[in-house]
Amino acid sequence: MTVDSDWGDWLPRAVESASPDTLAVWYLGCNGFVLKASDGTTVYVDPYLGIGDPPRTVRMIPVPFEPEHVEEADAIFGTHEHVDHVHGPSQAPILANTGADYYTSDSGHDVIDEEDWTGEWGVSDDQLHEIEEGDTVEVGELTVHVEPANDPDAVHPVSLVFEHEAGTFFHGGDARPGEFERVGEAYDIDIGVLAFGAVGNIPDKETGEDVRTRWYSDENMVIEAANELQLDTLVPSHWDMWKGMTTEPTVLHNHAASFEYPENLQVVEIGDRFDL
């Protein structure tokens, strides 16, 4: 599979030319993000550049760049083994081009083996690292803590806490509430990303018949998770991606109004940058 960009290479060039004073974050759509620290450390989380598997999963947003466009990366993290989080055509060429390290759980490594990243794209074994809950990874100015995640659709999901001197950024993968209270007690999280989406009728893989399907937190669940995490600012993700699962993130203002957290809601669109 080849990846064709709708936007050319302007977004990777914008990341590479940026000189943030603190920690800058760009949203790639779906659940993908790029973090760039003040020392230039650049980390990708769940970058997915595929179009899905039409007609079951249909991408509703642009493909923001091609993996070959990325010339600077220190690490990539995959939160769990689903195709829009660990995906060879999207991620392996970045590893091959940049020499970046790749971190994901054992189920993510099963995908790496199945897709033969080392043989198909020339990724070296020493770039590939297995992580699990309780691990800590140092990447430049960033300290990354691996924490639990409640995603009943995944084999071994994890969540990620990125600590920088400017603040703390949390990425929950596709997780729903249920595992985050300890994380919220352990860290003072400035900005947290949580997957948010509608319940939709999605064709079954085997029969093709529409099945009522929940992959992400709904409005009430995402606010419950934000309270478990004690988030200062909630950034909803994934709401833009799949046909039948898209939704309107600004409604979360109403659902959060009577709760202590999140203190703020920040809605970002694909290509947007925000800074801690």
Side-chain angles (χ1 to χ4, degrees):
M1 172 189 170
T2 59
V3 173
D4 295 314
S5 171
D6 297 310
W7 283 359
D9 66 350
W10 71 263
L11 186 53
R13 299 291 80 79
V15 173
E16 290 162 10
S17 64
S19 299
D21 293 327
T22 56
L23 179 67
V25 183
W26 289 260
Y27 181 41
L28 305 180
C30 192
N31 219 350
F33 289 82
V34 189
L35 287 64
K36 188 171 187 179
S38 50
D39 69 344
T41 298
T42 303
V43 173
Y44 284 74
V45 184
D46 286 352
Y48 175 67
L49 306 171
I51 62 169
D53 185 22
R56 183 170 185 266
T57 49
V58 180
R59 186 183 184 110
M60 298 295 288
I61 52 175
V63 177
F65 56 86
E66 297 169 16
E68 291 79 7
H69 292 156
V70 178
E71 297 176 357
E72 297 178 8
D74 295 290
I76 303 176
F77 286 81
T79 58
H80 61 289
E81 75 281 353
H82 290 166
V83 68
D84 51 342
H85 298 265
V86 176
H87 184 241
S90 298
Q91 298 161 1
I94 299 176
L95 301 178
N97 293 346
T98 65
D101 289 303
Y102 192 83
Y103 300 91
T104 190
S105 67
D106 51 1
S107 62
H109 280 273
D110 289 342
V111 175
I112 292 170
D113 292 340
E114 291 166 7
E115 295 181 337
D116 190 19
W117 289 20
T118 57
E120 186 69 23
W121 288 282
V123 177
S124 65
D125 286 326
D126 60 6
Q127 291 177 268
L128 304 172
H129 309 278
E130 185 174 316
I131 54 174
E132 63 181 7
E133 298 86 341
D135 287 348
T136 299
V137 179
E138 301 285 347
V139 188
E141 289 182 341
L142 296 172
T143 299
V144 188
H145 302 278
V146 184
E147 296 293 346
N150 171 34
D151 182 353
D153 298 317
V155 175
H156 186 182
V158 296
S159 61
L160 302 166
V161 179
F162 295 86
E163 289 187 317
H164 184 266
E165 61 181 11
T168 303
F169 174 81
F170 174 82
H171 192 297
D174 289 352
R176 306 171 200 176
E179 288 282 355
F180 289 152
E181 285 189 1
R182 190 188 64 78
V183 180
E185 292 293 335
Y187 306 97
D188 182 8
I189 301 173
D190 296 288
I191 298 179
V193 168
L194 292 170
F196 169 50
V199 175
N201 274 329
I202 302 298
D204 181 79
K205 279 186 176 182
E206 303 299 328
T207 67
E209 297 294 323
D210 285 346
V211 177
R212 182 178 174 83
T213 302
R214 180 196 301 277
W215 286 334
Y216 317 112
S217 290
D218 64 15
E219 293 92 334
N220 297 303
M221 296 166 69
V222 77
I223 297 304
E224 182 181 354
N227 277 270
E228 289 180 351
L229 290 161
Q230 304 178 39
L231 295 184
D232 289 349
T233 298
L234 166 64
V235 174
S237 63
H238 235 318
W239 57 268
D240 53 3
M241 184 62 173
W242 299 125
K243 184 174 179 62
M245 294 288 190
T246 60
T247 190
E248 173 48 63
T250 58
V251 303
L252 295 176
H253 284 290
N254 299 324
H255 290 270
S258 63
F259 292 91
E260 185 175 2
Y261 302 102
E263 296 177 3
N264 302 288
L265 174 68
Q266 185 165 355
V267 175
V268 294
E269 297 179 325
I270 182 172
D272 284 352
R273 170 184 169 174
F274 55 93
D275 290 49
L276 270 70

